[in-house]
Amino acid sequence: LNPLFFIAVLVLYFVTFYCTTDSTIRFYLRNRTRIPSTEVPSHLVSIRPICWIKVECYHYAWYGKTRKVTKTGRKQFHFTSFRSHYEVEGKFSTATRLRRLTRDIKFIDDRTEKEFYEQMGSLIREKHSDDHQRQLANIEIPGFERMHILSFSDPSQRPFWYSEAFYDLCLAFTLGAVYGTLLYCFTGAVDVSVTWELGLGDDEKDDNDNVPTTEEDDHSEQIECV
């Protein structure tokens, strides 16, 4: 066989790796935190979130197979107090990445729930312009996109090979794919589910509520949260 064929396959492999995996690896290496991995979930839910009410107006095209959004609108829901609970699935390791964050909201009392849906109804009436409407609640966590992606059990003793410099060195010796494989094998992954309970009462937050939980005492209506 022509050796040029093997060279072409090798080049194609590394180009494919670089285009599909390089950005992901660099994202994890750049977005690491100095907070111990086991403390990341509790720190995450201690951040005061921003709640948005969103409405999408849409209709179906191409014989009902394609949904086409024609108009969107959103407004911020200004709550004064909140409680937060979280659950963690997965295993912490020397290095741990936050694989998935599931967000949900509930209401502390009926007054808050009524105010939320009144504001949502007002937004629907204002933006109504198509056959269908979709109501959403969007929770933003300030600063989340820049931190808490990769954490270590002991941040002061981070493994030396968890760095972009070491990764670039591997790329120079065409070992980027090997590095990427080892990175995922030796990095634990956890999924965190967070529920925020919003209220319009006193502008205070009880830190004792930011603890892991497996039971939900509030049975208010679930809202599609994105």
Side-chain angles (χ1 to χ4, degrees):
L1 294 177
N2 193 328
L4 292 178
F5 172 77
F6 292 101
I7 295 176
V9 171
L10 188 63
V11 170
L12 180 62
Y13 170 76
F14 283 110
V15 169
T16 303
F17 167 80
Y18 185 82
C19 294
T20 59
T21 312
D22 178 77
S23 60
T24 302
I25 292 177
R26 292 189 185 278
F27 180 77
Y28 279 114
L29 294 177
R30 290 172 182 172
N31 292 274
R32 56 180 184 266
T33 178
R34 297 180 180 179
I35 303 172
S37 54
T38 54
E39 298 178 13
V40 167
S42 59
H43 180 75
L44 175 66
V45 299
S46 69
I47 302 173
R48 186 180 183 89
I50 300 174
C51 180
W52 294 95
I53 300 172
K54 301 179 65 177
V55 172
E56 290 182 355
C57 300
Y58 64 94
H59 64 268
Y60 289 100
W62 294 98
Y63 303 99
K65 295 183 179 181
T66 304
R67 187 173 66 184
K68 183 176 181 180
V69 178
T70 56
K71 195 172 185 180
T72 62
R74 73 173 189 171
K75 65 185 299 185
Q76 185 175 350
F77 180 66
H78 296 281
F79 57 91
T80 58
S81 61
F82 76 97
R83 298 195 298 256
S84 50
H85 312 283
Y86 68 86
E87 298 178 7
V88 178
E89 294 184 3
K91 184 178 181 181
F92 289 101
S93 184
T94 301
T96 305
R97 60 189 175 91
L98 180 54
R99 178 173 51 195
R100 183 180 299 108
L101 174 65
T102 303
R103 318 174 196 205
D104 191 17
I105 64 172
K106 292 186 176 182
F107 305 105
I108 293 178
D109 51 33
D110 294 338
R111 172 194 169 199
T112 307
E113 183 176 8
K114 180 179 179 181
E115 178 65 23
F116 180 90
Y117 283 108
E118 284 181 353
Q119 293 189 24
M120 176 173 283
S122 175
L123 188 61
I124 292 174
R125 291 189 294 271
E126 177 184 343
K127 299 296 181 180
H128 177 71
S129 63
D130 214 328
D131 297 337
H132 306 280
Q133 291 81 40
R134 184 183 180 206
Q135 300 84 42
L136 304 167
N138 176 238
I139 289 289
E140 292 182 6
I141 307 172
F144 169 70
E145 298 301 334
R146 298 186 299 276
M147 62 181 182
H148 302 153
I149 301 300
L150 181 65
S151 57
F152 304 91
S153 57
D154 186 354
S156 63
Q157 299 181 7
R158 186 185 76 231
F160 73 93
W161 56 281
Y162 277 91
S163 67
E164 276 196 277
F166 190 86
Y167 174 54
D168 289 333
L169 181 63
C170 290
L171 287 178
F173 288 93
T174 65
L175 296 174
V178 176
Y179 178 89
T181 302
L182 293 176
L183 180 69
Y184 282 102
C185 289
F186 287 95
T187 303
V190 295
D191 299 330
V192 179
S193 300
V194 184
T195 299
W196 284 275
E197 298 179 10
L198 311 181
L200 295 175
D202 297 334
D203 192 8
E204 296 181 356
K205 174 176 64 66
D206 186 354
D207 292 335
N208 292 328
D209 289 323
N210 294 325
V211 296
T213 180
T214 56
E215 297 183 359
E216 298 290 351
D217 297 328
D218 190 334
H219 300 284
S220 58
E221 181 178 353
Q222 294 290 317
I223 302 166
E224 186 174 3
C225 195
V226 295

